[in-house]
Amino acid sequence: MRKQIAAANWKMNLTLAKGEELVDQLLDATTGLTENQEAVFAVPFPYLVNIKNKLAGKSNVFVAAQNCYNKVSGAYTGEVSAEILKSIGTDYVVIGHSERREYFNESNQMLAEKINICLEYKLKPIFCCGEALEIREADTQNSYVENQIKESLFHLSAEQITGFVIAYEPIWAIGTGKTATSAQAQEIQAYIRVVLASKYGKEIADSISILYGGSVKAANAKEIFSQPDVDGGLVGGASLMATEFAAIIKSLK
Ligand code: 13P
């Protein structure tokens, strides 16, 4: 069975002390993770080492960076490379979050470059895709997301994409309290798997974890995660609250 993942995206929130306290409060919930379940903490760059150390010796828990640069190294003041992230023990990197696409003009092509560099340094990308409200209203979300996937991922080999992690996050559901229904999430995530299968075959498509993100909370996680093509969630606001995120972890299949 492919991995079921509860991924916290803290975004630009929490102090180090508050983040460490939150992780401490979640250790009980993470202890209950089964072999094919994972909890991932996408934390601000400066906390990666601290949170990684807090999780030392625990099974199935990982840290993620929220971004990395699309160049290997060099004179790029203020940027953080995949090599730097690897050197401090980072496991995953969130690539192409809609906030990065929107506020930092990250194109599908740039994201393809970031993914290549992550793979070169043995970091696991969590590739984000998802449509804005006007695209959903025009009912063109499937072709929009298909294009995001084709332009950023289809250059990868079958070996590179096996066991990959994709997060489908409709922009209209992020931070709005307006979740996609479980049926909407299932429909497009099943479509994403069909798109992947068209290039890589069913077996590889079935190995790829597809998370849902957008106003996931304790009250709706179980219903959303119960869908066959939803393999967990990428969670913003509710991941900042221990009881909420603990319940979300426990909602994994
Ligand atoms: P919210 O859970 O706050 O809607 O954010 C979702 C998200 O952007 C996770 O990456």
Side-chain angles (χ1 to χ4, degrees):
M1 193 187 183
R2 57 182 167 259
K3 292 265 181 249
Q4 305 294 305
I5 302 172
N9 179 5
W10 291 358
K11 307 191 180 182
M12 199 174 71
N13 292 298
L14 302 175
T15 59
L16 175 58
K18 287 198 170 128
E20 288 187 319
E21 190 187 336
L22 176 59
V23 170
D24 279 337
Q25 290 167 339
L26 286 164
L27 288 179
D28 259 4
T30 56
T31 308
L33 289 164
T34 62
E35 207 187 320
N36 74 315
Q37 296 175 334
E38 292 183 0
V40 176
F41 294 91
V43 305
F45 288 133
Y47 309 165
L48 279 164
V49 171
N50 307 69
I51 301 302
K52 177 87 185 174
N53 288 342
K54 271 224 162 288
L55 300 174
K58 312 271 183 255
S59 305
N60 305 325
V61 282
F62 301 96
V63 290
Q66 297 173 12
N67 178 35
C68 72
Y69 200 47
N70 63 326
K71 299 277 187 283
V72 171
S73 64
Y76 302 104
T77 302
E79 291 297 334
V80 177
S81 70
E83 185 179 29
I84 291 169
L85 292 171
K86 188 66 186 178
S87 76
I88 58 168
T90 308
D91 305 295
Y92 284 96
V93 185
V94 177
I95 297 290
H97 192 281
S98 59
E99 289 148 16
R100 303 280 331 162
R101 292 174 185 263
E102 183 181 351
Y103 305 138
F104 303 95
N105 295 321
E106 297 195 356
S107 65
N108 292 339
Q109 178 53 40
M110 181 192 277
L111 302 177
E113 292 164 8
K114 292 187 180 198
I115 285 166
N116 290 346
I117 297 174
C118 283
L119 294 175
E120 192 182 327
Y121 287 95
K122 308 254 175 309
L123 289 160
K124 297 187 208 166
I126 299 175
F127 174 73
C128 300
C129 57
E131 79 288 354
L133 183 61
E134 59 272 21
I135 291 165
R136 172 65 60 166
E137 283 174 348
D139 199 24
T140 52
Q141 64 274 7
N142 283 9
S143 58
Y144 183 84
V145 168
E146 178 173 355
N147 187 54
Q148 287 181 318
I149 288 174
K150 284 187 170 165
E151 291 192 2
S152 295
L153 301 184
F154 267 25
H155 64 285
L156 298 175
S157 68
E159 193 192 339
Q160 285 174 315
I161 206 158
T162 299
F164 211 82
V165 182
I166 293 176
Y168 166 69
E169 300 202 303
I171 296 167
W172 47 271
I174 295 178
T176 58
K178 193 176 165 191
T179 326
T181 63
S182 56
Q184 284 174 320
Q186 168 56 25
E187 188 192 359
I188 191 159
Q189 297 194 192
Y191 184 71
I192 290 171
R193 212 176 293 287
V194 167
V195 169
L196 293 165
S198 73
K199 166 89 177 164
Y200 296 103
K202 186 171 181 323
E203 195 180 328
I204 289 173
D206 282 345
S207 76
I208 296 171
S209 299
I210 308 178
L211 318 186
Y212 168 80
S215 297
V216 173
K217 46 185 185 267
N220 58 25
K222 204 160 187 84
E223 159 73 15
I224 297 172
F225 297 174
S226 71
Q227 300 300 311
D229 287 293
V230 180
D231 305 310
L234 181 56
V235 186
S239 77
L240 304 174
M241 292 171 277
T243 49
E244 281 285 311
F245 196 60
I248 291 167
I249 291 172
K250 289 186 179 142
S251 302
L252 289 172
K253 285 198 279 278

